[in-house]
Structures are given as C-alpha cells and as structure tokens.
Amino acid sequence: MNSSWVSTLDNLPRVGTVLAPTPLDPAVNLSDALGVEVWFKRDDLTGRGFGGNKVRTVEYLLGHALAEGHDCVVTGAGPQSNWAMLSALTATMAGLEPHLIYYGDPQPAAGNQLLAEISGACIRWTGEVDRTSLDPVLNKVARELIDSGRSPCVIPRGGATPLGCLGYVRGAIELTSQLVEHGIEATSIWLATGSCGTQAGLISGLTVLDADLPVIGVATSRTPTESAERVATLAAGTLALLGDRRNAPEPIVVGGFIGEGYGIPSDAGRWAAELVARTEGVFLDPVFGAKAMAALIEYARRDLIKGPLVYLVTGGAPTVLTK
Ligand SMILES: Cc1ncc(COP(=O)(O)O)c(C=O)c1O
C-alpha cells in the first residue's frame, strides 16, 4: 500500500463510532431465487442507533469538528432522514450538541424524527417542502449560534463531503480484505445512491487499493447523470484529500428505479424488500435499499449481471416502520 494515503487516513482525527468489521454474508436463498450469487455487506449493523451507512460517514466529520474545537454541529434533511438522526445521535455521544434543520412544517414525532429527539437534537423547521430550502438556513442557524457564543460546525446534507467520504474509504478496505478472506472474486458492488458520498467513498477506496471492482449506484434521489457527476466530484475531492494522484473510474449510476420520486416507496421496491425479508431475514428501507435491490433483481432477471456480487445493505430501519 502507498504509505502516504494510509497515513493520511490513519492520522486524520476520527471518532470511533463504527463497530467494524460488519459481516460479509452469503445471501444463499436470495441467490437461489435470482440465479445470481449475492453477498450482503451488512452495514445495517454498524452499531449505533439501528445501524446504517451514515455511521461510517460521520466518523471523520465529527473527528474534524472536535479537533477544530467546535462545541455543536448544524446539519439537516427531511424528518425521516437517517443521516440527520444518526449524525445527531453520534454527535451527542461525542459531546457535540446537535442542531437539526428539517425541511417542511413541524410533524408529530415518529421514526427517525422521534429518535433524533431522543438523541438530544435541537430541531427547527424551514416551513418549505423543497429540500434545498434548508441549505441557507444551516448557515443562518450557525450565525445565530456564533452570536450566542457557540462554535458550530456546519455539515452539508447527507455528510456528502470528501471528509465524510473517508468513512467509506475505510469501508472499501474492510470489504476488500473480507473478499480475499472468503476467496470471492466479486464482479461488482451494488448500493443505493442518494447524496452520493457512500458511492464516492467506496470508489475512492477501491482506487487507492488499485482494486478493479465496479461500484454500481442506483439513483434514489437525483437523476443518474446528476448523481454520477456528484459522485465523480466527491471522489476527486476525496482522492485529493488523501494526497493521491490517481483518477477514480467514471461512476456508474443506474436510473429508472426512483418510482414516483425521492422518499416515495415504489411497487418494485416493496416487492424487492419483501423478497429479501422472506429469503434472508433482512429488512431493506423503502427509500434507498429497497429501490437499489429492485434494480439488482431487474438486472438479474434480464441476465445483465453475473455473480458473485456484493449488495451493500445501508440500513434505514427506522423508515421501514414509518412508510
Ligand atoms: C439507508 C440509506 N441508504 C443509502 C443512502 C444513500 O447514501 P448516500 O447519501 O451516501 O448516497 C442513504 C442516505 O441517506 C441512506 O439513509
């Protein structure tokens, strides 16, 4: 391994939120049903809250906030956001007061919003349904906090920054060593892509490892083109942060599985989540994981993929109970 990116990864401040390694498990019954060998990387078992990919995302972001002497964090999303809840939960654990901005109007607490309240989040609402409405509010709230003598660290929606992506650089290292351990020559990794940080982190990690393993994101929130551009930008930023000159491969993002829109469960996703629950005993969330699995199933049906492949289970359990 090139020691420079390894030492950057090891030396940048990070909070140890992840219970790693998460299992890499053969999805035997699902593989039989699909006729394609599928392995589950169980990042729904990352160990805080009800698990999920964002537990990896926060590690370096909160480490940075603490190292810079901040005493609170400001971030946001929709009230059922896994990101918002998990960042609030882990911030509180790390001694940073979490401030969450939700778009829309106040809702009765349920699911992730309820868990965010239990986690100690100070919550405000933008009053506008458009999710971009919260971006200016993050800075406004940060200014108010500064005026009241606090030191806030603003983190963009989804934690999608090069620093946030480092969590999945570590995830890629963990996964590739498990693939070697199990003797699996994986053909691809499949996952749901939203704010794009998870896919960008994985791609960056595989790039520094010189591992030729395609990462296939399924667009769940933006168009495939916009998602691919964001993944590329984030991956370039992540590699720059690691001081690595290699270029990440062109991101692959599959479209056609969002259904009616971001956050709205789709029929194909519902069917896919039921299949996975009934074959593997794993619940996929309706917003991200179920739609990514619907894409994988469709590609298997059309004989467009071959195994063994890895499906990243990204968590989101609280929304299974609220949608
Ligand atoms: C359960 C779940 N899966 C997948 C994703 C997509 O990850 P990213 O936003 O890093 O693209 C998210 C994002 O919030 C998520 O909550």
Side-chain angles (χ1 to χ4, degrees):
M1 285 191 194
N2 174 322
S3 59
S4 118
W5 68 261
V6 175
S7 67
T8 308
L9 204 58
D10 284 347
N11 294 331
L12 279 172
R14 135 183 114 91
V15 293
T17 48
V18 183
L19 294 189
T22 59
L24 177 65
D25 204 33
V28 177
N29 300 328
L30 179 68
S31 302
D32 281 350
L34 299 183
V36 174
E37 186 181 336
V38 180
W39 288 71
F40 280 174
K41 174 65 174 159
R42 295 293 305 274
D43 274 9
D44 54 326
L45 302 176
T46 43
R48 308 292 166 195
F50 294 104
N53 54 337
K54 299 298 174 177
V55 177
R56 290 192 193 270
T57 305
V58 293
E59 283 206 307
Y60 284 95
L61 290 166
L62 296 181
H64 170 80
L66 287 171
E68 294 287 303
H70 294 293
D71 59 16
C72 53
V73 294
V74 182
T75 189
Q80 288 314 321
S81 160
N82 300 305
W83 154 254
M85 184 277 283
L86 286 169
S87 63
L89 177 68
T90 49
T92 303
M93 281 173 65
L96 292 155
E97 185 178 78
H99 291 256
L100 290 184
I101 321 299
Y102 287 143
Y103 53 79
D105 289 316
Q107 312 271 326
N112 272 318
Q113 182 191 333
L114 174 63
L115 297 174
E117 288 184 13
I118 293 170
S119 307
C122 310
I123 294 173
R124 304 189 205 194
W125 299 79
T126 66
E128 287 179 50
V129 287
D130 179 4
R131 61 186 147 146
T132 57
S133 66
L134 63 81
D135 296 337
V137 183
L138 298 183
N139 293 325
K140 184 170 159 277
V141 169
R143 275 195 306 275
E144 285 170 19
L145 285 164
I146 291 167
D147 290 346
S148 66
R150 306 297 302 277
S151 174
C153 178
V154 175
I155 309 180
R157 278 184 286 144
T161 68
L163 206 51
C165 291
L166 293 184
Y168 267 95
V169 172
R170 298 187 81 84
I173 296 168
E174 182 181 309
L175 174 59
T176 46
S177 81
Q178 286 173 317
L179 289 170
V180 171
E181 248 167 62
H182 289 273
I184 306 163
E185 295 210 7
T187 56
S188 54
I189 304 172
W190 284 67
L191 80 158
T193 282
S195 66
C196 301
T198 304
Q199 187 173 357
L202 281 174
I203 289 178
S204 306
L206 294 166
T207 300
V208 290
L209 290 168
D210 280 327
D212 183 16
L213 179 55
V215 180
I216 301 170
V218 178
T220 56
S221 149
R222 303 157 203 275
T223 65
T225 310
E226 192 190 341
S227 304
E229 280 166 11
R230 273 179 68 93
V231 172
T233 306
L234 282 166
T238 306
L239 289 168
L241 184 60
L242 288 171
D244 197 275
R245 285 163 184 264
R246 276 168 284 207
N247 291 319
E250 197 73 17
I252 308 167
V253 181
V254 166
F257 293 88
I258 294 187
E260 283 176 47
Y262 169 68
I264 305 170
S266 66
D267 287 344
R270 213 171 277 122
W271 192 89
E274 285 175 7
L275 178 66
V276 170
R278 293 170 195 184
T279 53
E280 295 302 329
V282 172
F283 293 118
L284 299 182
D285 81 289
V287 178
F288 299 99
K291 292 179 180 179
M293 180 52 73
L296 194 161
I297 291 172
E298 178 68 17
Y299 274 57
R301 280 226 174 96
R302 285 162 45 197
D303 223 5
L304 295 173
I305 44 173
K306 65 180 178 72
L309 59 83
V310 177
Y311 174 85
L312 182 69
V313 185
T314 47
T319 57
V320 178
L321 303 172
T322 52
K323 294 280 167 184

